[in-house]
Amino acid sequence: MAAAVAVVVPARNAQATLGAALDGLAAQRGAPEAEFVVVDNASSDGTGALAAAHPLRPRIVRRDAPGGPGVARNAGVAATAAPLVAFTDADCVPDPGWLASGVAALAGADLVQGAVSPPPGETVGPFDRSLWVSGDNGLYQTANLFVTRAGFDAVGGFEDWLDAPRPFGEDTLLAWRLRRGGARAAFCPQAVVRHAVLPGTVAQHLAERRRDALFAQLVRHVPELREAALYRRVFLGRRAALCDLALAGALAANARRSAGPLTLAAPYALEVAKDARAWRSARVAGVHAAGDVIGAGARLAGSARWGTVVL
């Protein structure tokens, strides 16, 4: 029987997490006939061998030269003729009803974002990385995304528009190209994927905030994000807006030689205090605040470089 849906998983040096991802795919219940495709994106570890030995027996597409995740996903889609496509990542484990729920949602939509969260009960430290998606936030993360094959082919698949060590925005761009063509978008809370918690350090956390500069470039490609994702059309989020306000107050106070403008920092100071209480650590709150300042500078630099204001 021909597959009704293809599940595409790009994997590069993913030996540590891919086994759990494939276990989760093997445990799917109630889904239509599916084909599973792992794209070994020029891995140098045992990713390909692990996939080949797994009982799920996924189709393996091997790429000899590393490329971005968009290129890898395109190669995975090209290896199947299924009319529906589901994407997840090698560091994600889908719940048993994930595929059935996502496919069912495609009956009334052309593009479906599913829910993403860390594994239940797993502790996420103050500098660790994971992913939370609880609604249609306009970004359409491919950790959990369903599309029709017709729509995917019509827009030419993913475009890795950013040359960077880690991916950024290729999924968002695909989704909005689909939506510009009339694709119906939906969010499916029943289609749940658990994203691994990736341990991080203070240095990694602060370095990550420099990537805030990329949002100006992304918004230049996808101006719809001003309404769909940004806070008050300009700011990356509410906390970013409060931090920017505090920095503006500090600069004004210095320029005027007056403490008056420092009152603008009060709302952000309350946010930092809440952070300290939540983590029971002034040090953690201080690191997060330093990250906010780094992020603000990065966004300002990105805005200047790309001529698109994201603060």
Side-chain angles (χ1 to χ4, degrees), residues 27-213:
Q28 293 302 296
R29 298 194 303 258
E33 188 70 21
E35 179 177 14
F36 301 95
V37 182
V38 172
V39 183
D40 182 2
N41 198 12
S43 298
S44 57
D45 64 0
T47 292
L50 186 154
H54 195 276
L56 183 64
R57 300 183 62 82
R59 176 178 294 190
I60 301 171
V61 176
R62 290 185 172 87
R63 288 179 46 80
D64 294 329
V71 170
R73 293 187 187 102
N74 288 344
V77 174
T80 177
L84 305 176
V85 183
F87 296 102
T88 188
D89 290 328
D91 55 1
C92 295
V93 178
D95 280 6
W98 167 72
L99 190 56
S101 297
V103 168
L106 278 177
D110 310 291
L111 169 72
V112 174
Q113 172 77 71
V116 184
S117 66
E122 187 159 344
T123 300
V124 182
F127 311 122
D128 296 343
R129 286 193 300 111
S130 190
L131 180 63
W132 290 259
V133 180
S134 57
D136 187 341
N137 59 14
L139 298 177
Y140 300 106
Q141 293 93 336
T142 37
N144 191 354
L145 194 69
F146 297 79
V147 299
T148 64
R149 177 63 177 267
F152 185 88
D153 289 345
V155 299
F158 290 96
E159 177 187 345
D160 280 324
W161 56 270
L162 178 71
D163 182 16
R166 280 186 40 229
F168 188 85
E170 77 289 342
D171 39 13
T172 306
L173 181 57
L174 170 81
W176 283 100
R177 288 164 65 201
L178 285 165
R179 291 193 61 175
R180 290 167 191 164
R184 301 162 298 166
F187 178 75
C188 182
Q190 295 82 17
V192 180
V193 155
R194 309 296 179 174
H195 192 289
V197 177
L198 307 175
T201 65
V202 169
Q204 289 169 336
H205 174 77
L206 297 179
E208 180 72 12
R209 296 305 306 271
R210 297 188 181 98
R211 286 169 58 86
D212 280 13

Side-chain angles (χ1 to χ4, degrees), residues 204-304:
Q204 289 169 336
H205 174 77
L206 297 179
E208 180 72 12
R209 296 305 306 271
R210 297 188 181 98
R211 286 169 58 86
D212 280 13
L214 302 176
F215 280 96
Q217 190 178 2
L218 180 59
V219 170
R220 184 173 181 177
H221 280 76
V222 188
E224 294 93 338
L225 291 177
R226 291 207 177 277
E227 295 294 341
L230 296 187
Y231 178 70
R232 297 189 176 177
R233 303 189 77 251
V234 175
F235 301 98
L236 194 56
R238 179 178 177 273
R239 181 170 169 126
L242 295 181
C243 179
D244 292 346
L245 184 65
L247 291 173
L251 290 172
N254 183 65
R256 296 181 183 182
R257 306 292 182 183
S258 167
L262 289 177
T263 58
L264 296 176
Y268 178 68
L270 289 175
E271 288 295 309
V272 175
K274 290 177 185 177
D275 199 22
R277 287 196 297 273
W279 290 106
R280 298 181 180 180
S281 170
R283 173 181 175 271
V284 167
V287 172
H288 286 169
D292 289 340
V293 173
I294 290 170
R299 294 190 299 275
L300 187 61
S303 297

